[in-house]
Amino acid sequence: MARVVVVDDEPMVCVFLRTILDSAEDIEVVDEAHDGAAAIEAVRRGRPDVVLMDLRMPGMDGLTAIEHINALADPPSIVVLTTFDADQYVLRALRAGATGFLVKSTPPEELIGLVRTAAQGHTVLSPSAARRLIAASTDGLSARDRARELVASLTEREAEVLGGLGEGLSNARIAARLFLSEATVKGYVSRTLEKLGCVNRTQAGLLAHDAGLVGPHRNGPEPDRPGDSPPVD
């Protein structure tokens, strides 16, 4: 059973999401909150697997709440709810530790499947919107410089694994590409996230784009990898 906390300052949005999600036999909405501070308490109280988090709320906003929740022991997957009218704000949320985002116009039948995906620890991103976010993530010179400095601390193999995360490859696909076992790749992923200070694969994927390991800023003699695929698991 996937346990979910819904966070939105509009009570009707919470009712709508609760109605949809509670219709699934394997999903339970255990609590709801209407601002960031209440969201943190709801997470502590309900210990959910997934939090659906609005960003723009009175009082403590969603971005601040995401940072606090990710500082808790064993934090849940946090999926941002957005109307997608502020690319950089959503990008900041992903860098703060959100595992993905959903537009509020997502069809009900898709929402259930996407929450299941998030509950399994995978990234949830809207592909078309993710491409815009990736483009935005590579626009800032300071972000690129910082990312390249972090990547410089990795071994060659760790950098190859990070490039795979930036392309949205699963551990199995990275293993096949690098001729490694899936268990070995899993170990590389864990060490790479720790070295980079990333809390999840989404953050690492964005950092890979910032550093130029994939996408339009990538340099080197190897053939280009797909640069427009979203960083999903």
Side-chain angles (χ1 to χ4, degrees):
M1 180 70 73
R3 298 167 58 83
V4 179
V5 166
V6 176
V7 185
D8 197 287
D9 64 334
E10 294 288 342
M12 287 302 297
V13 173
C14 291
V15 171
F16 176 71
L17 293 170
R18 181 187 286 271
T19 300
I20 293 171
L21 296 175
D22 280 345
S23 69
E25 294 182 354
D26 57 342
I27 297 176
E28 178 187 8
V29 177
V30 296
D31 210 341
E32 64 182 63
H34 305 299
D35 62 56
I40 297 168
E41 291 306 312
V43 169
R44 287 177 172 148
R45 184 169 56 245
R47 300 186 62 82
D49 302 296
V50 178
V51 177
L52 298 181
M53 177 76 72
D54 189 20
L55 290 180
R56 297 184 179 276
M57 296 181 291
M60 182 186 291
D61 64 12
L63 183 63
T64 304
I66 289 170
E67 294 170 343
H68 281 280
I69 290 171
N70 273 315
L72 300 175
D74 193 22
S77 295
I78 304 174
V79 179
V80 170
L81 291 171
T82 178
T83 54
F84 203 66
D85 59 352
D87 292 9
Q88 290 294 339
Y89 202 57
V90 176
L91 182 62
R92 286 173 60 198
L94 294 174
R95 284 182 170 148
T99 56
F101 72 90
L102 298 174
V103 292
K104 291 184 178 180
S105 58
T106 299
E109 62 274 13
E110 291 183 17
L111 176 64
I112 291 173
L114 291 170
V115 167
R116 287 174 177 144
T117 298
Q120 294 168 0
H122 300 300
T123 301
V124 176
L125 294 177
S126 167
S128 60
R131 283 192 287 271
R132 291 172 60 190
L133 283 175
I134 289 168
S137 78
T138 57
D139 284 343
L141 181 60
S142 60
R144 291 203 301 273
D145 289 345
R146 176 179 175 276
R148 287 168 178 167
E149 183 178 343
L150 287 170
V151 169
S153 70
L154 302 179
T155 66
E156 181 178 356
R157 184 64 84 189
E158 288 166 347
E160 290 174 333
V161 169
L162 178 62
L165 296 180
E167 291 182 55
L169 301 183
S170 65
N171 287 352
R173 291 182 63 189
I174 295 173
R177 169 182 288 180
L178 300 180
F179 303 102
L180 299 171
S181 71
E182 191 170 345
T184 298
V185 169
K186 184 177 180 180
Y188 274 119
V189 169
S190 296
R191 288 194 296 275
T192 300
L193 294 182
E194 183 177 359
K195 279 189 175 183
L196 298 176
C198 294
V199 299
N200 54 48
R201 296 167 72 100
T202 306
Q203 278 190 330
L206 289 170
L207 191 145
H209 281 268
D210 285 346
L213 296 182
V214 288
H217 297 285
R218 183 172 182 262
N219 297 312
E222 296 180 50
D224 287 340
R225 293 171 177 141
D228 61 348
S229 57
V232 296
D233 285 3

